[in-house]
């Protein structure tokens, strides 16, 4: 069922833009505020947000917040939009889940990140660790990894995509405006890191802290646009959760600087001056070669992403028609 077809059956939109916006603000506050209400979740100059105790406590609070927001959204969809149980699952992107759409979404994202994947796998020689599952095990064995690759993507995508998008679709707002507007809540929800950074880095000047926060707001909002686009095009919350986890793992792509291979530790120590200079020359040429390959692939990945954006996100389970 396409959500636009569902809305056409209603004489008037079930919700107003103001009502959906108020709920969105409330959900965002409900998600962030508990971080600062308890001493167990509130960072300080001597307690980092990366401390295991802080991460565990925050995951507990976030789980409660997302659960309450989910209950509220389901109630609104049922009471205000007269949606059936199956309609609600469909609007939230919980059912049915197409594994093909999940795979296509990950493939599209991997195309965009082709250069960073090359850097990690080949240039830094991590592919062997991947095959052994060592990287995955190490990442999920730490609380930081559990937060970045599991708890964060799951809770944020459920709240800011699965809950906020359907609420706005039940208003007079067009699907395009929904895709452009709702990620702003996601970006704003990350602004609180400015306070955390200032608190834990008291000797850092204020200007760099502001710039850092603005950059973080920008790239989280941009990712939010992409994730919301995927969610609307596929109607699949699992797809955006996995894409979110993948992007957290990949990080922001390098857009400047020389790409250098991982330097092996150890090796011969009794080398002459000529051997040392010759080795430095080979390393310099190797780094230049890898840098050329990386940046060519970075551009090719962006072009490939743009070329396949609509094709790889096409799905019969889309929540709205954007084309």
């Amino acid at each position: 069922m396409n959500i636009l077809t569902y809305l056409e059956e209603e004489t008037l939109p079930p919700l107003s833009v103001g009502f959906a916006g108020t709920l969105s603000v409330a959900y965002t506050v409900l998600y962030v505020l508990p971080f600062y209400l308890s001493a167990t979740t509130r960072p300080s100059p001597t307690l980092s947000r990366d401390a295991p105790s802080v991460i565990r406590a925050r995951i507990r609070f976030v789980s409660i917040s997302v659960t309450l927001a989910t209950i509220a959204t389901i109630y609104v969809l049922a009471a205000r939009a007269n949606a059936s149980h199956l309609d609600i699952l469909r609007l939230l992107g919980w059912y049915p889940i197409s594994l093909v759409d999940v795979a296509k979404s990950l493939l599209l994202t991997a195309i965009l990140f082709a250069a960073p994947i090359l850097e990690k796998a080949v240039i830094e020689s991590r592919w062997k660790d991947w095959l052994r599952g060592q990287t995955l095990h190490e990442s999920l064995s730490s609380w930081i990894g559990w937060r970045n690759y599991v708890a964060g993507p799951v809770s944020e995508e459920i709240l800011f995509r699965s809950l906020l998008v359907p609420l706005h679709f039940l208003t007079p707002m067009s699907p395009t405006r929904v895709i452009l507007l709702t990620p702003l809540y996601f970006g704003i929800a990350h602004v609180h890191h400015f306070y955390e950074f200032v608190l834990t880095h008291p000797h850092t000047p204020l200007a760099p802290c502001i710039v850092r926060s603005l950059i973080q707001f920008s790239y989280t909002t941009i990712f939010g646009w992409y994730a919301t686009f995927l969610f609307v095009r596929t109607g699949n919350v699992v797809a955006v959760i996995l894409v979110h986890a993948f992007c957290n793992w990949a990080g922001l792509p390098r857009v400047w600087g020389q790409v250098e291979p991982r330097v092996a530790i150890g090796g011969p120590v009794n080398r002459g001056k000529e051997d040392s200079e010759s080795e430095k020359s080979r390393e310099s040429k190797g780094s230049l070669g890898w840098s050329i390959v990386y940046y060519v692939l970075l551009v090719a990945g962006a072009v490939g992403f743009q070329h396949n954006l609509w094709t790889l996100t096409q799905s019969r389970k889309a929540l709205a028609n954007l084309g």
Side-chain angles (χ1 to χ4, degrees):
M1 179 194 68
N2 186 289
I3 190 172
L4 294 184
T5 303
Y6 173 76
L7 290 178
E8 287 172 358
E9 299 174 358
E10 303 289 338
T11 56
L12 292 174
L15 305 180
S16 67
V17 174
F19 182 81
T22 300
L23 274 182
S24 299
V25 172
Y27 289 177
T28 303
V29 172
L30 182 65
Y31 189 90
V32 176
L33 189 60
F35 294 170
Y36 301 97
L37 294 181
S38 170
T40 59
T41 59
R42 186 170 54 247
S44 67
T46 58
L47 185 63
S48 168
R49 63 184 292 267
D50 292 332
S53 60
V54 174
I55 295 176
R56 288 194 300 268
R58 286 190 171 191
I59 289 177
R60 287 194 296 269
F61 278 109
V62 162
S63 299
I64 295 172
S65 297
V66 172
T67 299
L68 293 175
T70 300
I71 293 172
T73 301
I74 291 175
Y75 172 78
V76 170
L77 294 178
R80 300 288 294 272
N82 296 318
S84 67
H85 294 92
L86 187 60
D87 289 337
I88 291 174
L89 293 177
R90 178 74 180 85
L91 295 173
L92 297 178
W94 294 2
Y95 178 84
I97 297 297
S98 170
L99 295 181
V100 173
D101 289 341
V102 172
K104 290 195 301 181
S105 298
L106 287 172
L107 174 60
L108 177 64
T109 310
I111 291 173
L112 179 63
F113 283 85
I117 292 174
L118 172 75
E119 182 177 15
K120 291 176 180 291
V122 180
I123 301 176
E124 297 181 358
S125 302
R126 297 186 186 180
W127 64 271
K128 293 181 180 179
D129 294 339
W130 297 355
L131 291 179
R132 291 193 294 263
Q134 180 177 343
T135 302
L136 179 63
H137 179 266
E138 290 178 352
S139 297
L140 297 183
S141 295
S142 69
W143 278 104
I144 293 177
W146 189 257
R147 176 195 63 195
N148 293 346
Y149 307 130
V150 180
V154 171
S155 63
E156 290 179 351
E157 293 309 316
I158 288 178
L159 186 75
F160 294 102
R161 247 62 69 183
S162 179
L163 303 185
L164 295 196
V165 170
L167 289 174
H168 284 79
F169 270 156
L170 297 178
T171 72
M173 190 177 294
S174 69
T176 301
R177 288 186 62 192
V178 172
I179 292 175
L180 293 176
L181 173 65
T182 55
L184 296 178
Y185 296 107
F186 180 66
I188 292 171
H190 288 79
V191 173
H192 74 98
H193 291 308
F194 168 77
Y195 171 73
E196 289 184 340
F197 188 80
V198 170
L199 192 64
T200 56
H201 298 76
H203 302 295
T204 303
L206 187 60
C209 296
I210 295 176
V211 171
R212 179 182 181 275
S213 183
L214 290 175
I215 292 174
Q216 187 175 35
F217 170 78
S218 298
Y219 71 70
T220 51
T221 301
I222 291 172
F223 171 78
W225 286 331
Y226 175 53
T228 306
F229 177 83
L230 281 181
F231 181 69
V232 172
R233 290 278 291 172
T234 64
N236 192 323
V237 71
V238 174
V240 292
I241 288 173
L242 293 179
V243 165
H244 191 151
F246 175 86
C247 290
N248 281 358
W249 167 80
L252 292 176
R254 174 201 299 268
V255 293
W256 68 81
Q258 185 167 293
V259 179
E260 298 181 357
R262 177 188 292 178
V263 179
I265 299 177
V269 295
N270 296 322
R271 294 176 295 184
K273 180 179 179 181
E274 294 182 357
D275 293 334
S276 178
E277 292 179 351
S278 176
E279 182 176 343
K280 288 181 180 180
S281 177
R282 288 194 301 270
E283 290 178 354
S284 177
K285 292 179 180 179
S287 298
L288 177 61
W290 280 122
S291 297
I292 293 174
V293 172
Y294 174 88
Y295 287 112
V296 168
L297 192 57
L298 186 68
V299 174
V303 173
F305 174 82
Q306 181 182 14
H307 180 74
N308 291 282
L309 180 61
W310 291 92
T311 303
L312 290 179
T313 57
Q314 186 174 3
S315 173
R316 294 181 180 180
K317 299 173 178 61
L319 298 179
N321 296 323
L322 301 177

